[in-house]
Amino acid sequence: PAFFGYVKAFLGTLSPVLYGLGIAYLLHPIEDQIRKLLEPQLKKVLPDKKAAGMAKALGILASLVFAVLVIWALIAMVLPQLLESITTIIGNFPSYYNTLSKWVQEFINGSIAEDVTQEIMDQVYDYLTSFLTGTVLPKVQTILASLTTGVVNLAKSMLNLIIGVIISVYLLSGKDRFLAQSKKLCYAALGQKKGGYVCNVCTFANRVFGGFIGGKIIDSLIIGVLCFIGMRIMMAVGLLGIESSYALLISVIIGITNIIPVFGPFIGAIPSVFILLLIDPLQAVIFCVLILIIQQLDGNFIGPKILGSSIGISALWILFSIVVGGDLFGIVGMVVGVPVFATLYGLAQEFVHYALDKRGIDSDGNPVE
């Protein structure tokens, strides 16, 4: 515990640098595409060197503006409705409970378990009421207060984020120089053969991480939008009788949790089904059917089309990497566990092929003639 405490403190000190690395890594594809688009046009009116520098500067500026606009749009559109949905759920919880209790009583009417079930439901109601009013609502109010009054921790986090943005600008503007210096250091420390191998491994890991993380973000955004559209269509035809803010809340939950492979849809569906179960159990069943359809589309068509072969490992190893990563590092481990294991899996395959070739054996265990 003492060792990990020092590690956590050290990483906390480096948080602005880590923010900068993360922001630069996520914005790099956008900046690169904008630079490639602008550079040929600028070369028509400027010398090549100045055109390249101007294109890079405009690419960095445009990528930052794009990121700020996306975050601002999400906060402006989603946050107020999310807070309204949570407050509405807490305020209407007694009526939701009465609906659920009536449905359960009709389902078990006349059975010997009726009294026991009612007692259990009363206890669950008392617990949830206490939890929502004594824990959730005060935390929501605390978050609102921190957003309006500017608590020290929030100010410190914002300062670290601003410093991280500045660091990301330096990283994006000098990425070619930094990469060249890193490559030079690698060759100087390890030699040409081993240094070249390490550089190839880093290139492979970057391809796996970039393809997976970028693809999952796009995939999750599509799933969230499809969920919202599907719920609004069901609301229009009368299959779902919920408020539009609930549809947005549930779609955001589904989209965010979808970033986690395999388990993400189930993790997102549990709180969403619970919300609908409080309103109407039949609507919860209808929503489960909608989620099943969306996830089948994602697993068989949308996901493979976006991610392609960026992972390169079977479903079994994906499941293994999620379980191990989640146990070690929680939600973050579940997300990055797949690309980390895919990288290690690719290196292991390369080592196996190298060892077989060195021993003169093919992949079936037969001697190579």
Side-chain angles (χ1 to χ4, degrees):
F3 172 76
F4 282 105
Y6 287 122
V7 172
K8 185 178 180 180
F10 179 70
L11 292 178
T13 305
L14 290 179
S15 56
V17 179
L18 298 178
Y19 288 157
L21 288 170
I23 294 171
Y25 190 79
L26 292 175
L27 294 183
H28 165 65
I30 303 174
E31 179 270 333
D32 192 53
Q33 291 299 321
I34 296 175
R35 179 181 58 82
K36 290 180 180 179
L37 182 66
L38 294 178
E39 189 170 351
Q41 305 300 323
L42 292 174
K43 285 183 177 180
K44 297 178 181 179
V45 295
L46 294 174
D48 290 350
K49 191 173 182 179
K50 289 186 177 180
M54 181 66 71
K56 179 181 290 187
L58 292 176
I60 295 172
L61 179 61
S63 62
L64 287 173
V65 171
F66 174 78
V68 170
L69 289 177
V70 169
I71 295 173
W72 176 82
L74 288 174
I75 293 175
M77 292 188 299
V78 175
L79 185 60
Q81 293 208 36
L82 288 180
L83 295 175
E84 179 185 352
S85 300
I86 295 173
T87 306
T88 304
I89 290 173
I90 296 174
N92 296 338
F93 182 74
S95 63
Y96 298 155
Y97 170 78
N98 292 332
T99 302
L100 180 61
S101 177
K102 182 179 179 181
W103 179 81
V104 173
Q105 289 175 357
E106 293 176 354
F107 180 76
I108 64 173
N109 186 27
S111 67
I112 59 176
E114 183 175 358
D115 295 337
V116 177
T117 304
Q118 184 61 44
E119 183 180 353
I120 292 175
M121 290 190 63
D122 290 339
Q123 293 178 359
V124 171
Y125 171 75
D126 293 338
Y127 171 77
L128 290 177
T129 302
S130 175
F131 175 74
L132 290 173
T133 58
T135 303
V136 176
L137 189 57
K139 286 187 176 181
V140 173
Q141 294 171 348
T142 301
I143 293 173
L144 290 174
S146 66
L147 291 175
T148 55
T149 60
V151 178
V152 175
N153 290 335
L154 179 62
K156 184 177 180 181
S157 299
M158 292 301 298
L159 179 61
N160 289 338
L161 183 60
I162 293 173
I163 297 174
V165 171
I166 297 173
I167 292 175
S168 69
V169 172
Y170 281 104
L171 290 173
L172 288 172
S173 61
K175 63 179 183 294
D176 296 331
R177 182 176 70 256
F178 293 141
L179 289 174
Q181 291 174 348
S182 301
K183 188 174 182 180
K184 186 186 300 182
L185 177 63
C186 187
Y187 279 114
L190 301 176
Q192 183 177 5
K193 187 175 181 180
K194 293 181 179 179
Y197 177 75
V198 170
C199 291
N200 291 334
V201 169
C202 293
T203 301
F204 173 71
N206 175 62
R207 179 174 61 83
V208 173
F209 267 84
F212 177 78
I213 295 176
K216 283 303 290 183
I217 291 175
I218 297 174
D219 177 55
S220 299
L221 179 62
I222 294 175
I223 294 302
V225 172
L226 286 179
C227 181
F228 182 75
I229 293 174
M231 294 187 71
R232 291 305 299 263
I233 291 175
M234 287 186 170
M235 291 165 60
V237 298
L239 292 177
L240 288 178
I242 60 175
E243 299 180 14
S244 59
S245 59
Y246 286 162
L248 181 61
L249 172 64
I250 293 172
S251 300
V252 170
I253 294 174
I254 293 296
I256 292 176
T257 56
N258 192 73
I259 296 177
I260 302 173
V262 182
F263 293 123
F266 303 102
I267 296 174
I270 290 173
S272 303
V273 171
F274 175 74
I275 293 173
L276 291 173
L277 191 64
L278 294 174
I279 301 173
D280 187 350
L282 180 59
Q283 295 185 13
V285 175
I286 296 174
F287 174 75
C288 288
V289 175
L290 173 64
I291 291 299
L292 181 61
I293 295 173
I294 291 177
Q295 292 307 325
Q296 287 298 314
L297 288 174
D298 181 36
N300 295 304
F301 299 101
I302 301 175
K305 189 71 174 179
I306 295 176
L307 295 176
S309 59
S310 62
I311 302 177
I313 57 178
S314 65
L316 173 63
W317 294 119
I318 292 177
L319 184 63
F320 173 81
S321 60
I322 292 171
V323 171
V324 175
D327 186 65
L328 293 176
F329 303 105
I331 298 297
V332 176
M334 296 177 73
V335 175
V336 303
V338 174
V340 169
F341 187 85
T343 303
L344 297 177
Y345 185 83
L347 296 178
Q349 280 186 318
E350 185 177 340
F351 171 76
V352 169
H353 291 315
Y354 168 77
L356 290 175
D357 291 340
K358 190 175 182 179
R359 288 169 172 76
I361 303 173
D362 61 17
S363 58
D364 295 326
N366 302 316
V368 178
E369 298 181 358

